Amino acid sequence: MADPVPVIRKLEHALADDDFAWSMLLVGEDQADKLATLTADLRGPFSATGDGKRITSGFSYWGIAPTIAWANATNDPFYLVMKVGTESFLRHWRKLLPKVQNGGFHLVSLGIGTGVKDRTILGDMRRNNPDMYYIPVDMSSEMLRMGTLEPVRGARFPVSQVLPVQLDFSIEDNMDELGQMLARLVGDDPILFTLTGNTLANFENDEELLDTLTRALRPQDRLLLEVASTTRLDQETADAAADEYHQTRAFAEFVTSALRYNTDLKISNELVRFVGEVEDDDALLVKILWRNDTGEEIRMELPDHTEVVLPVGDTIRLYTTRKYSTARLKRLTEACKLTPIEAIQSQFRYARRANPFGLELLLLAPEAAGEATHTLADDIWSV
């Protein structure tokens, strides 16, 4: 009797000439566990400052309604970080490309977004490595399905070399398992990990996330990190950062969508607050909150059909984001033992007056890579 053909290989052939919108997905987590986590987070204690009940990063994009809301927000010209990031990425990426153009890199995209940036990276890298794999990783299977369309259909990247992975990469054990799986998949070939779109800033503990991601990097791997930046650190600038997000209605619809999708809370945008503050003297933190300013107690039903009481003044943190100073980026990368190989920085130029906000695109290597870039690193952090 002939040996059985592995189902994955047989499936690849079965779908080769099928124009139906199939998409393959490797699911790494029990979705019931994720729902239990979200429910527990929404049972947090009373807080007037958004530090009790919360929707943590990842859940903001979890489910089809938040995914659609995110897609709509990305097309809003008033969502400046997204708009400027999309417009400037090609120019910035091409300056970094020579550092990862050769050597046979594969691409692991952490937090896929719209897939537009991945399309650019894949189009350039595949010219030198036609056999490369593309592995987008996201907690939201809906985001994976939407985001992979752009590289696969837009850049005609072969479906047979794409492996979307549903996984919350902010969890240490998950990242360890992902690293082991990738090593078995690509062997000693180098991997370019990407965390673009200011995703790092959306996590409450950004250093913890960056350290978790660094654990998966081998000496031959690299990390492409894109963050929003600021050249000023004061309350006036923090308020301006909050206003930047407040001026787009599509963004407000996005940050409230996870709460609308998973609870029965009736949300008025008039109860959504955008609060800016200076964090640790080296970053601007923007917290987006729903606050019960109705003057009366509200009851909210959770996904497990239990109720939570929301007293007057209680809050639910909907979203967290930041703008980083050079000092904060230096502190983070040094704490996580990452060495900058190259950095591209640009400022927003939409206003008549000088604007403190911009974007940074960093190519980083793990300390174990032994890159002799200390002089370059000093140059980068002295900017």
Side-chain angles (χ1 to χ4, degrees), residues 6 10 17 21 52 58 81 90 98 124 158 163 196 203 212 233 241 246 269 283 291 310 321 330 336 344:
K10 212 164 180 183
D17 298 319
V81 168
L90 176 61
D124 286 337
L163 178 61
T196 57
F203 288 79
T212 296
L233 294 166
H246 197 184
N269 285 347
R291 178 179 294 147
L310 301 166
T321 191
K330 181 180 181 182
C336 298
I344 309 294

Side-chain angles (χ1 to χ4, degrees), residues 91 138 243 290 316 319 326 357:
R91 184 173 70 255
D138 203 288
D243 286 343
W290 174 90
I316 302 171
Y319 204 74
T326 300
F357 303 141

Side-chain angles (χ1 to χ4, degrees), residues 54-224:
R54 65 191 67 196
I55 292 175
T56 55
S57 186
F59 286 105
S60 297
Y61 309 84
W62 194 59
I64 187 60
T67 297
I68 292 172
W70 166 247
N72 291 336
T74 60
N75 291 319
D76 188 337
F78 293 95
Y79 186 3
L80 289 176
V81 168
M82 176 59 61
K83 178 177 182 288
V84 176
T86 301
E87 291 174 349
S88 65
F89 184 79
L90 176 61
R91 184 173 70 255
H92 292 170
W93 159 250
R94 291 280 165 81
K95 293 179 181 176
L96 301 179
L97 177 60
K99 303 289 185 181
V100 291
Q101 199 164 20
N102 300 313
F105 276 85
H106 302 278
L107 177 64
V108 173
S109 175
L110 301 169
I112 184 171
T114 61
V116 172
K117 294 173 184 175
D118 287 356
R119 181 190 64 189
T120 298
I121 295 171
L122 290 167
D124 286 337
M125 293 179 67
R126 189 165 175 259
R127 293 192 191 97
N128 289 318
N129 185 18
D131 298 327
M132 70 176 294
Y133 293 133
Y134 170 45
I135 303 155
V137 183
D138 203 288
M139 202 182 95
S140 166
S141 57
E142 292 82 3
M143 287 290 293
L144 286 166
R145 180 176 170 89
M146 181 190 73
T148 53
L149 289 177
E150 191 70 31
V152 170
R153 295 184 181 174
R156 297 186 178 280
F157 192 87
V159 175
S160 58
Q161 293 167 225
V162 181
L163 178 61
V165 176
Q166 181 282 321
L167 198 72
D168 184 349
F169 55 78
S170 69
I171 297 175
E172 281 189 14
D173 287 347
N174 286 354
M175 206 59 204
D176 289 344
E177 292 291 338
L178 177 66
Q180 293 171 30
M181 185 274 282
L182 292 171
R184 292 193 293 269
L185 184 68
V186 306
D188 293 331
D189 291 352
I191 296 173
L192 175 65
F193 290 83
T194 62
L195 188 69
T196 57
N198 202 29
T199 302
L200 179 67
N202 302 148
F203 288 79
E204 289 186 37
N205 191 331
D206 51 357
E207 181 178 328
E208 183 178 272
L209 174 69
L210 193 58
D211 186 60
T212 296
L213 303 186
T214 305
R215 290 160 58 107
L217 299 183
R218 304 164 300 167
Q220 65 270 39
D221 297 335
R222 298 292 180 265
L223 173 64
L224 186 69

